[in-house]
């Protein structure tokens, strides 16, 4: 009954003027447009949740198991979605092909028991559908999200039944049981082949994906334009093409900002003194004080306390570029003791006795292995079942929030040094591509309101993370079966979590919403877009990622309404310091625990705002109509005073 | 040497009050304000000391404020030497200045002598053997104030400290300032306005007080409780001292039966009807029966009578709250702990943090969870419920009011909520005097039950932001009002005590017999006693979807009208949804072949659901109807810390330009704009168009607008005002700050805190 209502409501929405909330797209893109489908089910589901209050569409038709997103199957619900030839056909993305289909598979749902249905494996996703229940049940998992495939025992089932667990990177582990028959090959083989294409000499799906978006996301980030926005180059800082062939540093971008008065030869010597040749370069400059955020890797001091005159002078020049302060603060993200032990491994840190006027700060942030372990523990806490009695202590024991606190506190120190101390800062860890990226990008988010916009945030990620060589391929392990690789670590997830914490404390200061953050994280794994593939700009250029794959930002920016925070007001020129005490940090349950139906999010406030915006628009329309009527009735039309709300510039979120 | 014995007892009645005009004058006007302080100074000052330093930061004295510390018979005042330019960016109380603390709000008065390393907690009539160098006041509204006397005269400093301690420990209820104040207020208002108050019922108060049969009668009619009647056996409190004079009982019980039964109940408290579900089941609260011989018999009779009052003669379900919920001492100790972490700061040890904050949260969860189970009985099982507690005056108040809030949207309106508090707390005989410990006589009786209730309400509000007509600011202000001894609501232990005191009071103050108590000693619900009309708009929730609020449905703008009761749950009404939820699953299980049955023992983590689990699961699988049945989600992560209440006075926990208020701001402006449009629409639709002049585009007059934040003039970018912080509309400015923004822990002031909280963990915190 409820379902009918939902479907009927949806049908109404398909009228010419009313677009359903889920899929506001630019007008022309209708045919073959599948803006929803590339997102996979998850975005759909998020959108549904967010929309839940307005039209009650989520209503009774969504069974307790949230993974059952039956609405996907209702034709006409999604604007511009692909129409399937047959009702039971698996929805496909352009370029996606079905690899194998297995009938009579059991999905072992941890929340509502066993579900029997059909399992389809494509080169992009695993799709399980069941029509057994009154409401169709669908579960789909992007293959990119799968970390490893585990065979599990299915007791007392005889020879021909096997169990399979998909251990996922996104905090779930769906399990299936299926019968093996001679007629078709083992499902695990097909699954493994496409889940780990790189291990099977196959291309990542991003290179097969054939979607056309009206907006080209690869154009979002233009380094020169971004530096120009910051007021660069200026008399102290130059935009350098020294690294245009990635010879100076193969993990840095081709365009760098370095001090003007330093010779190329000296820079090359500095490069030799810094780990992985990652020399100090400018990330951000304060528009007023000219204090800068500079990033680099650790100096190769080694056990014998080597010195490098050029490096010392380089930092001196950086300090001198800022007339407001006669100090330079170096934030080393590591624990002091770790920095010391790194000396034995030919690394180290800047000695205050060799670098005059330099102040060293250690931020005590543990390394990538600690973070990986922490998130692994978190998964045990949130999936599949939640132990209510020990929830808080279990969360505490993961130390996840403790690390979030360290990161935010470190970034706030960096930002405060620039803003209040008017002092330039140098940030590094060991290699300068993990914790350094986290700290600089968070500090820039606090300092510069531009990065708090939807576009600006994309620029921030493109710049501080992607172009500066955060090793996404190694940290995420795209398409690679070696799940135990110790290079993997959830550094970027941590960063997004920190951003989320800030959006919680400043609900009106960010242009993007929670769905945006979750979408970014989902496509960190999905391998649908080229954005997060490979380890460095050099690799991406060699693989021609920009011409052969689609950018995540193309998808986002083609439907920005869905990812926009309706409360957003521009806190221009405001520096926002989040509070970092543990009572102000909370677990992001709508990301980490989203698969558990009992963790269903609360009624979102922003939906009420959208309703009210719609209400206002409607009232404005009526008032205007009446005003017109009145003025046409009245003899002297000149007495008509324009309505105070005549032309409201506020773009209404037509997604309502 | 200063001696109290002779002075105070006699002197307290002699102090004159400031004229009413000043007390009610809007404090926006700086001139008037200044004048008022002068008056306070001249007339009711008990003691004062000059050149006092109010400490703000623990690290430096740069931000400290200089001024005069004054103790009156009502409050502790701090008057700044150089009054800062008055900026109206927060809630301003009509009777209390920014630096004022009512004496009833003081929890502990601690004097310290830094040089001699001495400290003492001061009580009433005590001596102080050293000259205090500083005074620390711990307040019940979670403020901590620290004053230094390094430049002040030692003798007068000492006197002020002793006076504050003395006056904050009144010997008798009569000595509370409210009796002085309201008597004066009554006569002055009579003098000024004649008998205006008498002409409007209850002085214009819209909240029912439940001291008259008509209030109960209306409630019976509203809930269609046809099996119940108003009974006056307790008139003049003949039977029970703690029950109201009029109670609602099953029609099948005669007055004589009731009288007979009453002697078996604790404190002669007969079962008290609270509320009726539209399906006929009733919510009843009851004290326990001490005599085990009689217990079964009497209870059986009560059960039978309640069953007879149910249209379907459904069973009665009894819930013994003493057995399944934390007791009042547990509640008090977990509150002390959470207050400790919030106000004193974080400890080194994270485990403690976890234990402490979860202790309060788990109390909240326990009460909400139990209330939800009662809702299941009433709504899902269609059974009447008796809440039983030994005295029926503590836990029952919390649970019965929460159950009604979940089931009946009427109580989520402002007036409805106030009537609920009046019915289930004030009239049901919650011992406010003892539980608030206003006289500071018995610490063991102190327990923040009402605060617990307010926090539970906040949890529901936090999860369903559109369901309540009022805001968290309202709840916070209501909790603060407990510590202002001017309202009849929170001063007494029982209706009888209230009645007696007010009769005596009327005699003493020459108030004519027959005058309404609500007029001469008003309850807290007359908010104009405390706040300006403008400030009261902070109580209005812009998102409220209840009666009269416009809403959007299927793209159509509609005004919600309650045509029939909305609180009948849709779960029961639609069996199909059951099929979607659970039954479908069951069918699958049985229909599928052998694979399933054999898999099940190993792979089915889903245990067999109880009916109540099914009820809740079905409920949560649908979108919440914020106008209907409302059950909060109760996973541990769903219960949050009520930051506005717990952290508003803590400067280092205040987020400048942040907090939920920034979203509220935008909503408020938008709703204001909508209301202007609606009013314009009404103007157009009124008389025939053309015959009337064009309406002014301004909308309703400013003083009638419901929203605190007004729509910004057109084309103005809606930038949020700079003064918005996560503490808004309160301001932690001027309160003690314990660490710098970036987290240097400083605890030299914690000397006093250790006494206050006597928690061993503080030892670890000292750096």
């Amino acid at each position: 009954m409820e379902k009918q209502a939902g479907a009927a409501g949806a049908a109404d929405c398909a009228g010419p003027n009313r677009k359903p909330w889920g899929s506001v797209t630019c007008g022309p893109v209708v045919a073959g447009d599948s803006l929803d489908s590339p997102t996979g089910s998850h975005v759909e589901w998020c959108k549904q949740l967010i929309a839940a209050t307005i039209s009650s569409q989520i209503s009774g038709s969504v069974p307790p198991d949230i993974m059952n997103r039956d609405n996907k199957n209702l034709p006409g619900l999604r604007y511009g979605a692909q129409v399937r030839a047959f009702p039971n056909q698996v929805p496909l993305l352009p370029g996606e092909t079905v690899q194998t289909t297995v009938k009579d598979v059991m999905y072992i749902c941890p929340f509502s028991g066993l579900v029997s249905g059909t399992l389809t494996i494509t080169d992009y996703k695993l799709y399980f559908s069941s029509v057994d229940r009154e409401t169709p049940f669908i579960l789909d998992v992007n293959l990119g999200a799968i970390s490893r495939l585990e065979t599990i025992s299915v007791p007392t089932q005889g020879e021909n039944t096997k169990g399979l667990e998909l251990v996922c990177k996104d905090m779930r582990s769906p399990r299936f049981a299926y019968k093996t028959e001679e007629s078709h090959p083992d499902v695990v083989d097909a699954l493994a082949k496409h889940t780990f294409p790189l291990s099977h000499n196959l291309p990542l799906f991003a290179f097969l994906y054939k979607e056309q978006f009206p907006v080209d996301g690869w154009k979002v980030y233009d380094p020169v334009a971004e530096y120009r926005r910051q007021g660069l180059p200026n008399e102290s800082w130059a935009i350098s093409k020294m690294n245009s062939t990635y010879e100076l540093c193969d993990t840095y971008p081709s365009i760098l900002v370095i001090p003007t008065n330093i010779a190329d030869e000296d820079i090359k010597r500095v490069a030799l003194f810094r780990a992985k040749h990652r020399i100090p370069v400018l990330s951000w400059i304060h528009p007023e004080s000219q204090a800068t955020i500079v990033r680099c890797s650790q100096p190769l001091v080694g056990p014998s306390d080597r010195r490098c005159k050029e490096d010392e002078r380089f930092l001196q020049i950086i300090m001198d570029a800022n007339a407001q302060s006669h100090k330079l603060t170096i934030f080393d993200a590591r624990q002091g003791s770790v920095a010391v032990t790194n000396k034995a491994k030919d690394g180290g840190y800047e000695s205050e006795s060799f670098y005059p006027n330099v102040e060293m700060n250690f931020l005590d942030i543990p390394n990538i292995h600690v973070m990986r372990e922490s998130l692994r523990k978190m998964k045990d806490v949130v999936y599949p079942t939640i132990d209510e009695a020990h929830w808080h202590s279990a969360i505490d024991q993961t130390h996840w929030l403790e690390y979030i606190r360290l990161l935010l506190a470190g970034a706030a120190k960096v930002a405060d040094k620039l803003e209040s101390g008017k002092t330039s800062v140098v940030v590094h860890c060991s290699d300068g591509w993990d914790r350094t990226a986290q700290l600089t990008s968070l500090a820039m988010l606090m300092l510069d309101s531009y990065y708090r916009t939807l576009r600006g945030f994309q620029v921030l990620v493109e710049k501080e993370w992607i172009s500066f060589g955060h090793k996404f391929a190694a940290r995420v392990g795209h398409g690679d079966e070696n799940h135990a690789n110790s290079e993997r670590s959830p550094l970027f997830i941590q960063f997004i979590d920190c951003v989320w914490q800030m959006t919680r404390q400043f609900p009106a200061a960010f242009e993007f919403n929670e769905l945006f953050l979750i979408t970014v994280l989902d496509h960190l794994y999905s391998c649908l877009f080229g954005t997060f593939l490979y380890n460095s700009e050099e690799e991406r250029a060699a693989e021609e990622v920009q011409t052969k794959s689609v950018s995540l930002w193309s998808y986002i920016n083609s439907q920005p309404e869905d990812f926009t925070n309706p409360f957003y007001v521009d806190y221009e020129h405001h520096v926002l310091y989040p509070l970092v005490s543990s009572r102000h940090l909370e677990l992001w349950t709508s990301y980490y625990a989203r698969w558990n139906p009992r963790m269903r999010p609360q009624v979102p406030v922003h939906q009420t705002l959208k309703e009210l915006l719609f209400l206002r628009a409607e009232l404005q329309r009526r008032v205007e109509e009446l005003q017109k009527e009145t003025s046409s009735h009245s003899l002297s039309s000149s007495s008509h005073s324009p309505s105070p709300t005549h032309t409201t510039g506020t773009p209404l979120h037509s997604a309502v | 040497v200063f001696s109290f014995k002779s002075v105070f007892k006699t002197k307290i009645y002699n102090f004159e009050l400031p004229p009413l005009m000043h007390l009610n004058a809007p404090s926006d006007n700086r001139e008037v304000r200044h004048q008022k302080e002068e008056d306070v100074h001249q007339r009711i000052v008990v003691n004062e000391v000059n050149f006092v330093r109010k400490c703000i930061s623990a690290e430096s004295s740069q931000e400290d404020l200089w001024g005069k510390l004054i103790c009156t018979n009502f409050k502790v005042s701090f008057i700044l030497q150089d009054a800062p330019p008055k900026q109206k960016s927060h809630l301003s109380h009509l009777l209390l200045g920014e630096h004022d603390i009512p004496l009833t709000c003081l929890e502990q008065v601690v004097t310290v002598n830094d040089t001699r390393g001495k400290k003492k907690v001061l009580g009433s009539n005590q001596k102080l053997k050293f000259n205090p160098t500083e005074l620390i006041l711990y307040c019940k509204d979670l403020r901590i104030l620290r004053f230094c006397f390094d430049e002040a005269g030692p003798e007068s400093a000492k006197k002020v400290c002793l006076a504050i301690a003395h006056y904050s420990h009144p010997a008798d209820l009569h000595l509370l300032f409210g009796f002085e104040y309201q008597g004066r207020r009554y006569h002055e208002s009579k003098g000024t306005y004649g008998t205006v108050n008498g002409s409007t019922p209850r002085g214009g108060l819209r909240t029912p007080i439940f001291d008259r049969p008509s209030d109960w009668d209306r409630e019976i009619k509203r809930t269609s409780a046809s099996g119940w009647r108003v009974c006056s056996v307790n008139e003049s409190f003949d039977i029970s001292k703690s029950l109201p004079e009029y109670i609602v009982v099953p029609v099948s019980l005669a007055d004589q039966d009731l009288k007979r039964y009453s002697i078996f109940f604790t404190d002669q408290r007969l079962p008290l009807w609270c509320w009726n579900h539209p399906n006929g089941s009733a919510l009843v609260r009851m004290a326990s029966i001490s005599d085990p011989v009689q217990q079964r018999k009497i209870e059986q009779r009560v059960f039978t009578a309640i069953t007879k009052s149910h249209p379907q003669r459904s069973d009665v379900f009894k819930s013994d709250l003493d057995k399944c919920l934390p007791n009042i001492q547990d509640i008090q100790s977990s509150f002390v702990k959470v207050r400790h972490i919030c106000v004193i700061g974080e400890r080194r040890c994270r485990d403690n943090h976890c234990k402490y904050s979860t202790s309060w949260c788990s109390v909240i969860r326990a009460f909400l969870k139990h209330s939800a189970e009662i809702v299941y009985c009433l709504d899902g099982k269609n059974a009447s419920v008796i809440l039983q507690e030994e005295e029926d005056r503590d836990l029952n108040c919390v649970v019965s009011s929460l159950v009604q809030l979940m089931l009946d949207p009427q109580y989520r309106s402002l007036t409805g909520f106030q009537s609920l508090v009046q019915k289930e707390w004030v009239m049901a005989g919650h011992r406010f005097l003892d539980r608030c410990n206003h006289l500071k006589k018995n610490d063991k009786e102190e327990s923040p039950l009402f605060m617990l209730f307010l926090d539970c309400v906040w949890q529901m509000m936090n999860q369903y932001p559109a369901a309540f007509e009022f805001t968290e600011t309202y709840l916070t202000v209501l909790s603060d009002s407990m510590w202002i001894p001017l309202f009849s609501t929170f001063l007494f232990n029982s209706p009888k005590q209230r009645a007696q005191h007010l009769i005596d009071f009327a005699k003493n103050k020459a108030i004519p017999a027959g005058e309404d108590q609500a007029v001469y000693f008003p309850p807290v619900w007359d908010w104009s006693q405390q706040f300006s009309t403008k400030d009261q708009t902070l109580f209005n929730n812009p998102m409220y979807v209840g009666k009269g609020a416009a809403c959007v449905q299927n793209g159509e703008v509609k005004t919600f009208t309650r045509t029939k009761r909305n609180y009948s749950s849709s779960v029961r009404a639609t069996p199909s949804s059951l099929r979607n939820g659970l039954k479908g699953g069951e069918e699958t299980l049985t229909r599928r072949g052998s694979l399933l049955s054999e898999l099940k023992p190993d792979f089915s983590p889903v245990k067999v659901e109880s009916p109540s689990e099914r009820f809740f699961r079905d409920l949560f699988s649908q979108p919440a109807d914020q106008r209907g049945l409302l059950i909060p989600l109760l996973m541990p992560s769903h219960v949050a810390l009520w930051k506005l209440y717990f952290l508003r006075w803590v400067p280092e926990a205040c987020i400048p330009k942040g907090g939920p208020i920034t979203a509220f701001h935008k909503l408020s402006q938008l709703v204001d704009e909508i209301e202007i449009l609606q009013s314009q629409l009404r103007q157009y639709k009124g008389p025939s168009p053309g015959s009337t002049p064009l309406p002014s585009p301004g909308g309703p007059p400013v003083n009638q607008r419901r929203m605190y934040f007004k729509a910004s003039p057109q084309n103005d970018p809606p930038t949020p005002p700079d003064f918005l912080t996560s503490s808004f509309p309160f301001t932690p400015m001027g309160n003690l700050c314990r660490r710098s923004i970036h987290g240097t822990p400083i605890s030299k002031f914690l000397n006093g805190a250790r006494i206050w909280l006597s928690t061993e963990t503080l030892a670890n915190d000292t750096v």
Side-chain angles (χ1 to χ4, degrees), chain A residues 114 388 505 581-582 615 627, chain B residues 346 350 365 557 596 659 684:
Chain A
L114 295 163
E388 292 189 36
Q505 294 189 21
S581 76
S582 53
L615 179 62
Q627 267 169 345
Chain B
E346 285 172 83
R350 284 192 54 80
R365 272 182 73 211
V557 179
L596 261 174
Y684 277 116

Side-chain angles (χ1 to χ4, degrees), chain A residues 448-467:
Chain A
D448 190 339
S449 64
Y450 170 68
Y451 298 124
R452 302 193 284 257
T453 65
L454 189 64
R455 275 304 177 102
F457 188 78
Q458 297 167 11
V459 168
L460 183 71
V461 170
E462 284 281 350
K463 178 177 181 305
E464 286 304 296
W465 288 83
I466 297 171
S467 81

Side-chain angles (χ1 to χ4, degrees), chain A residues 264-309:
Chain A
D264 286 4
E265 282 313 300
D266 289 350
I267 289 180
K268 282 177 187 156
R269 283 200 200 96
V270 171
L272 291 175
F273 187 65
R274 290 278 167 180
K276 308 285 194 301
H277 300 178
R278 294 172 68 95
I279 60 167
V281 294
L282 178 142
S283 268
W284 190 78
I285 183 163
H286 195 287
E288 281 152 26
S289 69
Q290 306 285 300
T292 49
I293 298 179
V294 171
R295 60 181 291 172
C296 58
S297 60
Q298 64 179 340
L300 299 176
V301 171
S304 58
D305 283 329
R306 266 194 304 271
R307 293 180 64 172
C308 172
K309 287 278 172 225

